Amino acid sequence: MSRTVARLFTDALEELGVRHVFGVVGDALNPFTDAIRTSETLSWVGCRHEEAAAFAAGAQSQLTDTLGVCMGTVGPGSVHLLNGLYDAAKSGTPVLAIAGQVPLSEVGTDYFQEVDNDLLFKDVAVFRATVTSPEQLPALLEVAVRTAIGRRGVAVLTVPGDIGGQEVPADRPVRLSVARSENRPDDPALDEAARLINDGGNVTLLVGRGARTSHDDVLALADRLAAPMVVTLKAKEGFEGDNPFQVGQTGLIGNPAAAHAMDHADTLVLLGTDFPYREWYPEGKKVVQVDRVAEHIGRRVPVDVALAADVGPTVRGLLERVAAREDRTHLDSARKKFADWQDGQRRLAAPGHDKGLIGKVRSAFDNRDHLVRPEALAAAVDAAADADAVFTSDTGMATVWLSRFVEMRGSRRLIGSYNLGSMANAMPQAIGAQLLDRDRQTVAFCGDGGLSMLLGDLMTIRTERLPIKLVVFDNQRLGMVKLEQEQAGLPEFGTVLDNPDFAAVAQALGIKGIRVERAEDLAEAVERAFAEPGPVVLDVLTNPDEIAVPAKPTVQQGWGFAIAKVRENLNSSGS
């Protein structure tokens, strides 16, 4: 029996184990959504914006390590996919996007809504093609899926409006199997790396997401080398909980202990990370880098030994070769600094922190109106959330507070736009995550700017009855931009947001809304939000002047803040 192009696609997705397809219905997609309508295992998730659809598909791919799928219809619908697809591409996760096109006979005539999809997706896709005849299938679909999975990126298939409903003449099975394998460096390369490490003095590990599946091996290496472990943000979920070697993150969201561990090392061993910020790599160190993607090696910091292979087998090879360290001074020093820093962070999040400031001289950075400290909100959510909760976070200050106050203990998961750095990702990524398991708690750390950008997809949450907890850090600011301006000595400008009452908006949409305006109401509100069986928007007014001090603050940054605050105060007083 022959099948239509659309039916062949849906049957193939079912075979792959895909459960959800995200998008907005219309014209060229109608044959596809009709095929999904009759599927027993595949569900259509109608979003309010295609960008949210692409973010949701990418989130599912990251959490399952399998293919995510989204669709955008002709012209604007496909254009709207682009930002979410860029996030998937930069996250290195496989996503298949079906993009609609005008009827084949009209292609090239500047027809209504016509967009050159092959050109549009050229930069973001590892594979892209336009289906011009049913005879191209299933081979074209097989290539698209294998390329997306094999190269861990985005594949885009464009389907003209008059193609999806046509029958595929040769009804052969779609063959989509992709064998996975692990790569191990050869013995001479491992020997060279081991010699450098053995002769290299103090060792610090910088561990990224690429090492997550090799948790026990990496901890064994840290123990053997008495090495503190700096973990990237994307590695929090694999290496933060129950890890006696980790000292948190480096970079702008990092802490002094991680900076100390990097600066006082003689040798850095980079495991499965492409940490991009060159200024946070110390100079003059010996460097060993392990990454399965060869082009990642050496592009951030000069590397002495490059091992283009998977982390697990590479670390196991090193464990057979490196000598155990008896002197644990380097590790103990970094861990002591980390514990001290954590104690200080806990004091910031304590309920009575601001009470001690009453009657004292205030600085420009004090919480003048006793709004909720964002540290306290993040800490309260950390305490209330399940041990297997999935967290998403918007780019900006919401991610800063999550990185510092939410521990990825147990089997917690974490995703965000940590490579692209897009706004508005947390809510749609939470939609994708929650649909994978409606019984697994999903928590989105939303910035007020991010949430409002794709606010319409709150209705997707309501329609799908997803019990997501949306925690809104409502400081009525584009907080990270404010921080950037002040660090450069510029007065805050253009960052103030005229926000609605997000809890009231949620209530109007049929979602539970809880608003917190006073610090003393925070604990009870968080408890109520997490006890609610359905979706909740927890809108918390947080202090806009709260500062996230970087791991190594500079004198120049300090002067920048001081000058900016003077200028802001002069502007506000009309001087």
Side-chain angles (χ1 to χ4, degrees):
M1 179 184 297
S2 62
R3 292 177 290 175
T4 65
V5 169
R7 175 59 64 187
L8 184 143
F9 270 86
T10 56
D11 289 350
L13 296 179
E14 289 177 344
E15 179 188 333
L16 280 169
V18 174
R19 291 164 49 196
H20 304 100
V21 178
F22 300 88
V24 177
V25 299
D27 46 69
L29 296 186
N30 288 336
F32 292 88
T33 52
D34 186 63
I36 294 171
R37 176 182 61 82
T38 60
S39 171
E40 294 184 0
T41 60
L42 200 60
S43 297
W44 173 258
V45 182
C47 297
R48 298 304 178 109
H49 196 296
E50 288 90 352
E51 181 178 343
F55 271 125
Q60 289 202 338
S61 176
Q62 290 185 64
L63 290 169
T64 63
D65 203 30
T66 56
L67 191 72
V69 182
C70 58
M71 294 186 179
T73 192
V74 178
S78 293
V79 173
H80 286 163
L81 291 173
L82 199 56
N83 192 53
L85 292 182
Y86 261 104
D87 186 76
K90 289 183 72 68
S91 297
T93 201
V95 170
L96 173 65
I98 305 301
Q101 185 54 283
V102 302
L104 196 58
S105 60
E106 301 291 350
V107 171
T109 69
D110 196 22
Y111 194 73
F112 175 64
Q113 292 191 320
E114 182 181 2
V115 170
D116 186 344
N117 285 347
D118 289 337
L119 180 62
L120 175 69
F121 295 108
K122 179 179 180 180
D123 184 52
V124 73
V126 293
F127 179 85
R128 70 196 189 285
T130 297
V131 181
T132 57
S133 71
E135 287 81 4
Q136 292 176 288
L137 300 172
L140 197 60
L141 176 60
E142 292 171 347
V143 174
V145 170
R146 287 201 179 104
T147 305
I149 294 175
R151 294 179 59 185
R152 302 193 66 79
V154 173
V156 180
L157 282 177
T158 295
V159 185
D162 52 354
I163 292 290
Q166 293 186 31
E167 291 189 351
V168 179
D171 189 29
R172 75 162 176 84
V174 182
R175 302 179 179 94
L176 295 173
S177 61
V178 180
R180 296 179 181 268
S181 60
E182 281 193 323
N183 296 319
R184 176 187 183 276
D186 59 21
D187 287 342
L190 287 169
D191 292 340
E192 182 185 6
R195 279 195 297 272
L196 187 148
I197 292 170
N198 284 332
D199 298 338
N202 291 335
V203 177
T204 292
L205 306 183
L206 177 60
V207 179
R209 186 173 182 268
R212 187 168 54 83
T213 58
S214 309
H215 173 274
D216 292 348
D217 293 324
V218 172
L219 261 63
L221 183 64
D223 188 30
R224 178 75 58 86
L225 299 175
M229 185 187 303
V230 178
V231 297
T232 67
L233 179 61
K234 295 174 76 172
K236 269 174 67 77
E237 68 174 16
F239 290 97
E240 189 167 51
D242 194 24
N243 181 350
F245 308 101
Q246 71 98 9
V247 292
Q249 284 86 63
T250 187
L252 284 174
I253 66 172
N255 71 80
H260 173 88
M262 299 278 282
D263 289 342
H264 287 77
D266 300 297
T267 301
L268 300 177
V269 179
L270 280 53
L271 300 176
T273 179
D274 190 32
F275 181 73
Y277 306 105
R278 295 183 183 183
E279 63 270 27
W280 293 96
Y281 289 96
E283 296 181 356
K285 311 297 181 184
K286 295 292 185 181
V287 178
V288 176
Q289 186 171 1
V290 182
D291 200 300
R292 63 178 180 81
V293 183
E295 57 263 35
H296 288 178
I297 296 178
R299 66 179 180 177
R300 312 301 185 189
V301 63
V303 170
D304 296 279
V305 180
L307 302 174
D310 290 286
V311 170
T314 303
V315 170
R316 289 191 290 274
L318 289 174
L319 283 168
E320 297 171 356
R321 291 167 167 80
V322 296
R325 304 287 178 92
E326 293 184 4
D327 184 356
R328 303 178 84 82
T329 304
H330 177 51
L331 171 63
D332 293 342
S333 174
R335 286 285 292 177
K336 173 65 166 56
K337 288 182 180 297
F338 185 52
D340 292 344
W341 177 79
Q342 286 182 308
D343 286 342
Q345 294 295 292
R346 279 190 285 268
R347 287 194 294 273
L348 281 176
H353 180 275
D354 287 326
K355 293 179 180 178
L357 295 175
I358 296 175
K360 296 184 178 180
V361 176
R362 294 189 178 277
S363 75
F365 308 115
D366 286 337
N367 188 2
R368 298 170 185 268
D369 299 320
H370 293 277
L371 297 170
V372 177
R373 286 188 174 272
E375 301 97 329
L377 174 56
V381 172
D382 176 58
D386 292 344
D388 67 344
V390 178
F391 288 86
T392 66
S393 68
D394 270 334
T395 299
M397 299 307 294
T399 289
V400 173
W401 308 128
L402 181 143
S403 73
R404 295 187 174 186
F405 292 94
V406 176
E407 184 182 50
M408 291 295 115
R409 56 185 175 272
S411 55
R412 287 177 170 180
R413 299 294 307 271
L414 173 64
I415 52 175
S417 186
Y418 301 140
N419 291 81
L420 180 63
S422 173
M423 287 180 64
N425 61 284
M427 177 180 62
Q429 286 180 329
I431 290 172
Q434 190 71 86
L435 280 164
L436 288 173
D437 186 347
R438 291 175 178 270
D439 295 325
R440 186 174 186 178
Q441 192 177 77
T442 301
V443 183
F445 270 44
C446 300
D448 45 1
L451 179 67
S452 57
M453 186 176 282
L454 284 176
L455 192 62
D457 273 282
L458 279 177
M459 290 178 276
T460 303
I461 293 174
R462 182 197 64 188
T463 299
E464 296 292 333
R465 296 178 173 82
L466 301 175
I468 299 168
K469 311 307 177 196
L470 296 154
V471 180
V472 186
F473 288 76
D474 189 351
N475 62 359
Q476 302 183 8
R477 294 294 192 282
L478 296 174
M480 187 61 79
V481 180
K482 168 181 159 66
L483 190 68
E484 292 167 354
Q485 291 174 347
E486 293 175 340
Q487 179 179 311
L490 302 173
E492 179 186 7
F493 180 76
T495 64
V496 177
L497 301 175
D498 184 14
N499 289 336
D501 180 333
F502 289 112
V505 172
Q507 289 286 148
L509 295 174
I511 294 173
K512 179 71 173 179
I514 301 173
R515 185 171 172 91
V516 181
E517 299 181 355
R518 301 183 306 170
E520 54 265 34
D521 298 330
L522 176 66
E524 185 271 337
V526 171
E527 183 179 348
R528 257 198 305 145
F530 279 80
E532 179 71 27
V536 176
V537 171
L538 178 63
D539 181 19
V540 182
L541 298 187
T542 56
N543 177 23
D545 289 320
E546 202 72 12
I547 298 173
V549 179
K552 294 188 292 185
T554 64
V555 173
Q556 182 179 0
Q557 289 169 336
W559 274 114
F561 277 117
I563 293 168
K565 288 299 178 183
V566 169
R567 288 174 174 170
E568 288 168 9
N569 289 334
L570 288 174
N571 289 340
S572 65
S573 65
S575 302

